[in-house]
Amino acid sequence: MLRTIKPKNARSKRALDAREPKEVEDARTAIFVRGTHTGEVVSAAMKELMALKKPYAISFSKKNTIRPFEDASSFEFWAQKNDASMFMVGQSTKKRPNGLVIARMFDSKVLDMCELGVDKFVSMSEFKTPKSTPGHKPMIHFASELFDTHPRYVQLKSLLMDFFNAETVNSICLPGLEHVISVTVGPSPPQQAPSIALAGTQQEDPKNLPKVHLRTYTIKLLPSGTRVPRVELTEMGPSLDLSLRRCQEADPELWKAAMKRPKLKKQDIEKGLGKKKKNMEVDEMGDLRGRVHIAKQDLNKLQTRKMKGLKGRAGEEDVDMEGGESEDEDEGDESPRRKKRREE
């Protein structure tokens, strides 16, 4: 384990504060690790997946003797040293050929893992199409109801979202959307009925689960005559057909701690970062504005200032606001001189 480092100057203190938990987390850094035996398919797949993840990707050039589902101490050491929260391990064995393991960390501890088998891989170089600019935030599309119902696919969706997701943005610039990652689920294997294959139990045989197809497309925005442009997709690669293998679910206590949100400070709530308070809002200039509700007023009982310029002349009848004659109560408010003229 790494020893606790105490900051010696302001620069090291800022670096340690950047690693502290935040309400809005930074982009997750992924470490790509090669096992003792990796074939050409796994090495090429990891290289191109790292190209999609850049610049938040770290590659280990040397091979490592690692067994993620048996001993995860190496993950904890690397995560704490490199401030990384995602791992992708490529390893090929006789029992499990062309395997990719996606692991997610929390507080330098393994939260959950999922192993995928690469059944088919098509490189970017085989697609003679334009490529997206490295470092752009991708769009991710999941096309299957299993990603919301089946526990294995729900876990895979969560892992892929955290793996490919970049910085959290408040607004989207359309020219900045250059590529989309599409994840779909194929049909169930023919040797098993769909109702049994999608049972969702932990003891379910992974061979009975449908395969996952990962495709990457570039986006081209064309004029459509309206504000919404017409979108055309062109496949740029890589293209992977994946099969689900082993998985490790998150510990309930660790998952509860990972999903817990810290209490916000008073100044953060006033700036509009916390829960929205009733009748309070922050305008575009960052000023806090409130709305006060009062009871309905009876304007007939409202005492107004009496001005001589609003009174009628001699010989004219007083007219109220609605155009009718004034009430008798107003006669008592007349001056003696005006009252005498009216009597004459």
Side-chain angles (χ1 to χ4, degrees):
M1 296 296 293
L2 294 177
R3 60 185 177 89
T4 303
I5 302 175
K6 294 183 179 180
K8 297 182 179 180
N9 48 39
R11 180 181 178 184
S12 59
K13 188 177 184 302
R14 289 194 299 268
L16 292 177
D17 292 341
R19 297 190 177 191
E20 294 294 327
K22 306 178 183 63
E23 177 65 20
V24 180
E25 292 289 345
D26 300 331
R28 293 176 176 266
T29 302
I31 297 179
F32 292 78
V33 184
R34 294 191 299 168
T36 54
H37 301 282
T38 54
E40 295 181 0
V41 175
V42 175
S43 299
M46 292 182 61
K47 183 178 180 181
E48 299 200 359
L49 289 176
M50 186 175 63
L52 296 177
K53 181 62 179 173
K54 284 182 178 180
Y56 307 104
I58 301 174
S59 177
F60 287 179
S61 58
K62 296 183 179 180
K63 296 183 179 181
N64 298 268
T65 305
I66 182 172
R67 298 178 178 86
F69 291 91
E70 299 176 8
D71 184 14
S73 59
S74 299
F75 283 167
E76 298 175 359
F77 177 79
W78 292 332
Q80 190 174 358
K81 185 177 181 180
N82 298 278
D83 191 21
S85 57
M86 298 294 298
F87 282 88
M88 175 169 284
V89 182
Q91 194 163 4
S92 181
T93 60
K94 185 176 180 180
K95 186 177 180 180
R96 297 181 178 90
N98 300 334
L100 291 176
V101 178
I102 303 177
R104 177 167 47 186
M105 310 294 293
F106 171 73
D107 196 16
S108 300
K109 297 179 182 178
V110 176
L111 184 64
D112 55 350
M113 288 186 293
C114 180
E115 183 180 8
L116 304 171
V118 182
D119 299 331
K120 184 180 178 181
F121 171 73
V122 182
S123 176
M124 287 185 183
S125 59
E126 300 187 20
F127 295 95
K128 307 301 180 182
T129 55
K131 313 300 179 185
S132 62
T133 306
H136 277 239
K137 184 180 178 69
M139 294 186 292
I140 307 176
H141 175 252
F142 294 90
S144 178
E145 61 180 7
L146 295 179
F147 290 113
D148 298 324
T149 57
H150 198 286
R152 292 293 305 275
Y153 293 94
V154 170
Q155 181 193 27
L156 178 62
K157 177 183 177 181
S158 178
L159 287 171
L160 293 178
M161 286 284 291
D162 286 345
F163 186 83
F164 289 109
N165 194 17
E167 295 181 351
T168 303
V169 295
N170 298 325
S171 58
I172 299 176
C173 180
L174 288 181
L177 302 176
E178 294 190 3
H179 66 291
V180 57
I181 300 174
S182 176
V183 186
T184 59
V185 175
S188 303
Q191 68 272 12
Q192 194 68 267
S195 60
I196 300 177
L198 307 180
T201 59
Q202 188 65 24
Q203 295 79 13
E204 185 178 359
D205 188 2
K207 296 181 181 179
N208 300 331
L209 295 174
K211 293 184 180 182
V212 178
H213 305 281
L214 191 146
R215 304 290 186 267
T216 309
Y217 302 90
T218 54
I219 299 174
K220 189 175 183 181
L221 303 179
L222 301 176
S224 61
T226 60
R227 293 187 59 185
V228 181
R230 183 167 61 91
V231 181
E232 286 188 359
L233 301 180
T234 306
E235 189 170 1
M236 74 168 187
S239 174
L240 293 95
D241 292 347
L242 308 172
S243 58
L244 296 179
R245 292 180 182 174
R246 295 177 294 176
C247 74
Q248 176 180 326
E249 296 183 353
D251 181 71
E253 295 297 330
L254 191 61
W255 181 264
K256 184 178 179 181
M259 299 299 292
K260 184 178 179 180
R261 291 182 175 272
K263 293 183 179 180
L264 296 178
K265 299 179 181 179
K266 182 179 179 181
Q267 55 267 28
D268 293 337
I269 297 177
E270 292 177 353
K271 291 179 181 178
L273 300 179
K275 294 182 179 179
K276 186 177 180 180
K277 284 191 174 183
K278 189 175 181 180
N279 301 328
M280 295 180 64
E281 59 183 5
V282 180
D283 59 6
E284 297 179 356
M285 302 299 295
D287 299 329
L288 182 66
R289 297 185 178 274
R291 183 181 302 174
V292 180
H293 294 271
I294 59 177
K296 187 176 181 180
Q297 296 181 346
D298 187 3
L299 300 181
N300 295 328
K301 298 180 181 180
L302 184 65
Q303 180 65 36
T304 59
R305 184 179 179 182
K306 298 176 181 179
M307 299 177 62
K308 293 183 179 180
L310 299 178
K311 295 181 180 180
R313 298 180 180 178
E316 296 180 359
E317 297 181 353
D318 293 341
V319 181
D320 59 0
M321 296 293 293
E322 296 179 357
E325 295 182 359
S326 62
E327 299 180 356
D328 296 339
E329 296 178 359
D330 298 335
E331 295 180 359
D333 298 337
E334 294 179 353
S335 61
R337 182 181 299 178
R338 183 179 177 186
K339 188 175 181 181
K340 185 177 181 180
R341 290 179 180 179
R342 289 178 57 120
E343 292 177 354
E344 293 176 357

